[in-house]
Amino acid sequence: RPDSPRSLASLRDEPNPDGPDPRGHIRSMKDVIPKDTWTVFKIMGEFVEGFETLRRVEPAVSIFGGSRVRKGSRYYRKAVQVSQALAREGFSIITGGGPGIMEAANLGARRGGGRSVGLNIRLPFEQDYNRYIDTLVHFNYFFARKVMFIKYACAYVVFPGGFGTLDEAFEALTLVQTHKIDNFPVIMIGRDFWRGMTRWLGREMLGRGMIGAEDQRLFTVTDDPQEVCRLVRDGYRKRLQANGVGDAR
């Protein structure tokens, strides 16, 4: 019967509907399981390396933005300015390690005397890491890299960017909304860039009851580096107090 439940055992030796593999053999579960097991160890290796390397960078701020932002452009200069100000406040700067906004933020960290961290992702097309990084970690898996961004940061600063930038921003907002993390500012830089998105969130998501009015206060849109520093400081202070550390700043 087509709709009958089928066990893994019954499927284990069933031929691959896509045909033979390149070696001329029919793939089965026996072929897949060993590969998946080794993948688990590769994933573990990325987590271990990330934890061992990054445990000394806190407090830190993760900064995101487009890799296609040109050097010397308005947002590039703003990213240098913001990250430099945060570095002078004592925060390490974590980026994806690539060009564009990531390069600008790492440059600002250097200029501000802070630790400049790059979490580079290996892609099918070449993405070279930028030359302003002090601490560099390479990743094959996006999800392992994402854990490092959130685990070692006390705030996200999000500049204009593409799908990857939106992915990181909305994951952080989801974690804050569901109280998986607290006292974690998400700050969007570029009022003109984010204006259309914030209007859409209010009109469509809030208007249709997909989010609550309080969810619109989970992030702040600004162009002021000093406001960014204030929000990050306040969020970090509240986090320390919530953890019983007291006001360390």
Side-chain angles (χ1 to χ4, degrees):
R1 294 168 49 191
D3 56 351
S4 297
R6 307 170 73 187
S7 68
L8 280 176
S10 68
L11 293 171
R12 184 176 56 196
D13 295 314
E14 185 173 293
N16 183 353
D18 296 326
D21 70 9
R23 299 168 297 174
H25 299 145
I26 301 297
R27 288 179 59 79
S28 70
M29 290 299 291
K30 292 179 181 178
D31 300 306
V32 174
I33 290 173
K35 180 181 177 183
D36 286 351
T37 301
W38 281 111
T39 299
V40 171
F41 287 108
K42 288 169 64 180
I43 293 168
M44 285 176 55
E46 293 204 350
F47 278 106
V48 170
E49 183 182 1
F51 293 156
E52 290 296 313
T53 304
L54 299 176
R55 62 183 178 178
R56 297 179 292 275
V57 307
E58 296 178 285
V61 176
S62 290
I63 296 183
F64 303 96
S67 62
R68 302 180 185 185
V69 173
R70 293 183 178 180
K71 187 172 185 177
S73 66
R74 174 165 59 108
Y75 290 126
Y76 187 100
R77 296 194 307 271
K78 180 73 74 174
V80 173
Q81 185 181 8
V82 168
S83 59
Q84 183 173 348
L86 288 168
R88 286 175 174 168
E89 294 271 352
F91 295 98
S92 300
I93 301 299
I94 303 174
T95 78
I101 292 296
M102 296 172 279
E103 176 184 296
N106 289 129
L107 172 58
R110 280 270 186 93
R111 288 182 177 177
R115 185 188 290 265
S116 179
V117 181
L119 309 183
N120 193 51
I121 187 73
R122 294 185 177 95
L123 298 171
F125 49 90
E126 190 67 26
Q127 175 179 289
D128 290 332
Y129 54 89
N130 68 71
R131 59 194 179 97
Y132 302 111
I133 296 170
D134 303 318
T135 302
L136 177 66
V137 186
H138 292 285
F139 292 88
N140 287 304
Y141 299 98
F142 272 107
F143 57 85
R145 181 176 180 244
K146 290 174 101 174
V147 170
M148 305 305 155
F149 278 130
I150 201 84
K151 177 175 175 59
Y152 292 100
C154 63
Y156 272 14
V157 177
V158 187
F159 281 84
F163 291 149
T165 300
L166 290 174
D167 179 36
E168 299 291 356
F170 278 99
E171 179 168 22
L173 291 173
T174 301
L175 293 172
V176 175
Q177 182 193 47
T178 56
H179 297 287
K180 289 294 185 179
I181 53 175
D182 291 306
N183 301 311
F184 192 92
V186 179
I187 306 161
M188 322 285 275
I189 303 290
R191 290 182 182 276
D192 55 344
F193 184 85
W194 299 111
R195 184 176 296 115
M197 185 195 76
T198 55
R199 287 176 176 171
W200 180 84
L201 290 174
R203 183 182 68 249
E204 298 296 335
M205 295 185 76
L206 179 61
R208 297 173 185 267
M210 304 298 177
I211 59 173
E214 67 280 4
D215 294 327
Q216 291 189 296
R217 296 189 289 273
L218 297 180
F219 63 93
T220 302
V221 182
T222 184
D223 287 313
D224 182 4
Q226 295 309 311
E227 184 178 11
V228 174
C229 289
R230 179 184 62 77
L231 291 168
V232 172
R233 276 197 315 268
D234 290 350
Y236 185 59
R237 183 181 298 113
K238 290 176 183 177
R239 174 178 285 198
L240 291 177
Q241 292 170 346
N243 291 335
V245 178
D247 187 357
R249 288 181 177 270

